[in-house]
Amino acid sequence: MEYRKLLGTDLTVSAVGFGVWTVGTTWWGVKDEQMGKRLLREAFEQGVTFFDNGDTYASGRAEEMQKEALGDVRDQIVVATKFGYDIYNNPERPGQQERPHDWTPAYLRKALEHSLKRLDTDRVDYYQLHNPRLDAIAPGTALSDDLFAELEALKHEGLIRAYGTALGPALNERQIEEGIASVRERRAPTQIIYNLLEQLLGEQVLPVAEEVGVGVLARVPHASGLLEGYMDLNTTFEPGDHRNWRLTTNEKRKAWMEDGLKKVELLQPFLNGRHIAQLAMQFALHSPAMASVIPNIYDEKGLRLYTGLDSVAPLTQSEYDQIQALYAENFGLTTNLIGEVVR
């Protein structure tokens, strides 16, 4: 396992992280808690030290599961969680709809207090604003300035070691401005959706992060399954799986699944003994500002693939450049993954 500095903090994290939502919720992935806890433990045994959680995942249950699986190795891992959604006054909504945010300093302290209790720890190593909009990040407003002043106070008190932003929920162009404000204005690392097929945020945020020396984390490195190697035109998803929204019309199916799989086919010459999922991870880790990439882990096979990156040939600069040349011309296709016509 490779370990990297999360630039802008004193944290060192495993290059492969574990997004606890896949085992801590029933949205998509592991629905058996015991299996989920086994995967968390096995990930640690395979060298994963960065565990990315959130208080909204099963309304705190995911944090409790992490404590139950990894509590005895607490000081050997980097505990990351998120805050911002008011989970105490707003029940979980169907279809993974967002709950209202509360960015007040009082709610921040309340959220942290409850997360510390559920995680059974005296500090959170990396505390993230969960899907904030620009008004909660950019300096110059009472909302954001009071929030970040309180984060600094919590850091001074030793209740958190570092803080940052996790942008979302879905890939959106507005997150370019949010990500740049996080790393440039707040010097706070940011977590973005970034992968070989969806580079909207990375191509804008990563150069700024490299310039100012602030870290970035990537989630959805496998383009919601397209780069995991199991999908074909007959693939279907269970009810409740958020990927179903991409397939509600023939147009969306063609733009995402059909054209996406054509792009995957064009990547086959770059495998050179790698699994497509490993190639995707290596690509996402290419930038020196990228601290950790967080794949969706929901079985032992996937976990072994991701933690086995050191067993395959590294991605060369020539291979990276050739892949980027394909991406620049949209792999010769006329639509992109969100179904927009390429102008």
Side-chain angles (χ1 to χ4, degrees):
M1 177 64 68
E2 179 187 0
Y3 299 91
R4 298 184 173 196
K5 183 77 178 292
L6 178 58
L7 299 179
T9 78
D10 64 354
L11 301 173
T12 297
V13 298
S14 54
V16 178
F18 196 125
V20 185
W21 79 270
T22 60
V23 299
T25 74
T26 58
W27 295 343
W28 167 27
V30 179
K31 298 181 180 180
D32 181 307
E33 280 199 0
Q34 293 307 310
M35 179 181 176
K37 287 188 279 189
R38 286 196 301 271
L39 281 173
L40 288 168
R41 190 70 189 196
E42 184 175 343
F44 169 74
E45 293 168 355
Q46 294 292 325
V48 175
T49 60
F50 181 64
F51 292 87
D52 183 48
N53 217 319
D55 64 1
T56 193
Y57 301 156
S59 298
R61 178 58 190 152
E63 293 178 326
E64 294 172 342
M65 284 180 61
Q66 180 174 322
K67 178 256 297 185
E68 292 164 8
L70 299 170
D72 63 324
V73 294
R74 164 64 188 98
D75 291 335
Q76 300 177 55
I77 64 175
V78 175
V79 172
T81 194
K82 309 181 190 75
F83 73 96
Y85 289 118
D86 183 357
I87 65 174
Y88 303 101
N89 297 303
N90 300 277
E92 189 168 344
R93 299 180 173 186
Q96 303 163 41
Q97 297 179 60
E98 290 187 271
R99 308 185 204 191
H101 281 119
D102 187 338
W103 300 117
T104 62
Y107 184 77
L108 164 58
R109 283 196 175 261
K110 175 181 178 179
L112 178 59
E113 177 184 348
H114 283 281
S115 284
L116 290 172
K117 183 176 181 180
R118 288 189 293 263
L119 290 161
D120 192 23
T121 183
D122 61 354
R123 82 280 182 193
V124 167
D125 299 311
Y126 183 56
Y127 205 35
Q128 301 161 91
L129 285 70
H130 200 173
N131 298 338
R133 291 359 181 216
L134 187 63
D135 62 351
I137 304 172
T141 69
L143 174 70
S144 62
D145 289 347
D146 289 351
L147 175 63
F148 278 85
E150 194 71 0
L151 285 165
E152 281 293 327
L154 293 169
K155 186 176 176 182
H156 180 74
E157 295 168 29
L159 296 175
I160 61 175
R161 290 177 61 189
Y163 56 79
T165 60
L167 305 182
L171 183 63
N172 192 299
E173 190 172 1
R174 64 171 168 76
Q175 293 156 22
I176 295 173
E177 194 173 4
E178 294 164 1
I180 291 174
S182 183
V183 298
R184 188 188 292 282
E185 304 299 329
R186 292 298 185 183
R187 292 296 196 270
T190 191
Q191 181 184 139
I192 61 174
I193 294 173
Y194 176 65
N195 60 68
L196 194 157
L197 301 180
E198 297 169 306
Q199 299 186 42
L200 173 68
L201 303 183
E203 61 189 0
Q204 298 294 324
V205 175
L206 281 169
V208 177
E210 293 173 11
E211 174 193 340
V212 300
V214 174
V216 176
L217 305 160
R219 70 176 186 278
V220 200
H222 296 112
S224 299
L226 283 170
L227 294 168
E228 290 183 47
Y230 69 86
M231 287 178 58
D232 59 34
L233 292 177
N234 297 314
T235 299
T236 59
F237 307 112
E238 295 181 3
D241 190 315
H242 75 83
R243 291 173 293 182
N244 281 311
W245 76 267
R246 296 181 184 261
L247 307 178
T248 54
T249 67
N250 288 335
E251 182 181 355
K252 284 185 177 180
R253 174 179 287 275
K254 182 180 187 302
W256 183 64
M257 181 176 282
E258 295 184 24
D259 287 357
L261 290 172
K262 290 176 184 176
K263 296 177 182 182
V264 170
E265 185 63 29
L266 291 173
L267 292 169
Q268 298 306 303
F270 297 97
L271 296 186
N272 296 329
R274 311 175 184 97
H275 191 281
I276 185 69
Q278 294 173 322
L279 175 67
M281 293 288 289
Q282 289 179 331
F283 179 90
L285 285 164
H286 183 266
S287 169
M290 188 63 70
S292 186
V293 176
I294 309 166
N296 294 332
I297 297 173
Y298 34 75
D299 57 36
E300 293 180 357
K301 179 181 177 181
L303 175 60
R304 289 193 297 270
L305 272 177
Y306 309 144
T307 57
L309 289 182
D310 60 347
S311 67
V312 299
L315 184 69
T316 67
Q317 185 64 45
S318 175
E319 289 173 320
Y320 177 85
D321 291 342
Q322 291 176 67
I323 290 171
Q324 287 297 62
L326 278 175
Y327 177 83
E329 61 181 26
N330 197 39
F331 294 78
L333 303 176
T334 58
T335 57
N336 63 22
L337 290 183
I338 55 176
E340 297 172 343
V341 176
V342 177
R343 303 295 183 185

